Amino acid sequence: MSTPIRLLDAKTGTKLRLTKLEVTGVLRRRLLDLGFVPGNVVEVLQKSPLGDPTAFRVNNTTIALRKEESSMIYAELLEV
């Protein structure tokens, strides 16, 4: 097990296993509904030229998150 990092800090092309969400309220419910559930695997697909937003793949769906959102989601890097 590696140390959890923020999704914001993950490099393009890496795969991570979600560990926790420090999000509350309606945004937390929405992220959970989209598949950002602890234990799920997320892949960092692409960062926009200015770094915001970033595209992630979770449950075979591509989802773009802003820095404010991805900075509150933690995951562990998966070994390739």
Side-chain angles (χ1 to χ4, degrees):
M1 292 268 178
S2 61
T3 304
I5 63 168
R6 301 180 306 170
L7 286 187
L8 174 66
D9 301 326
K11 296 189 184 331
T12 301
T14 57
K15 290 188 179 183
L16 308 106
R17 183 172 312 279
L18 296 173
T19 56
K20 71 176 177 177
L21 281 77
E22 291 186 344
V23 184
T24 59
V26 175
L27 179 58
R28 179 179 179 86
R29 180 79 254 157
R30 186 169 181 91
L31 289 171
L32 291 171
D33 290 343
L34 290 170
F36 286 88
V37 178
N40 272 1
V41 175
V42 174
E43 180 181 2
V44 183
L45 295 179
Q46 180 180 3
K47 294 190 179 196
S48 69
L50 297 177
D52 195 27
T54 301
F56 299 95
R57 175 169 290 137
V58 61
N59 293 339
N60 287 328
T61 303
T62 302
I63 300 165
L65 296 179
R66 296 178 299 223
K67 286 182 179 181
E68 298 86 32
E69 299 158 348
S70 60
S71 69
M72 297 184 285
I73 302 171
Y74 291 83
E76 297 174 338
L77 290 171
L78 293 177
E79 300 298 323
V80 178

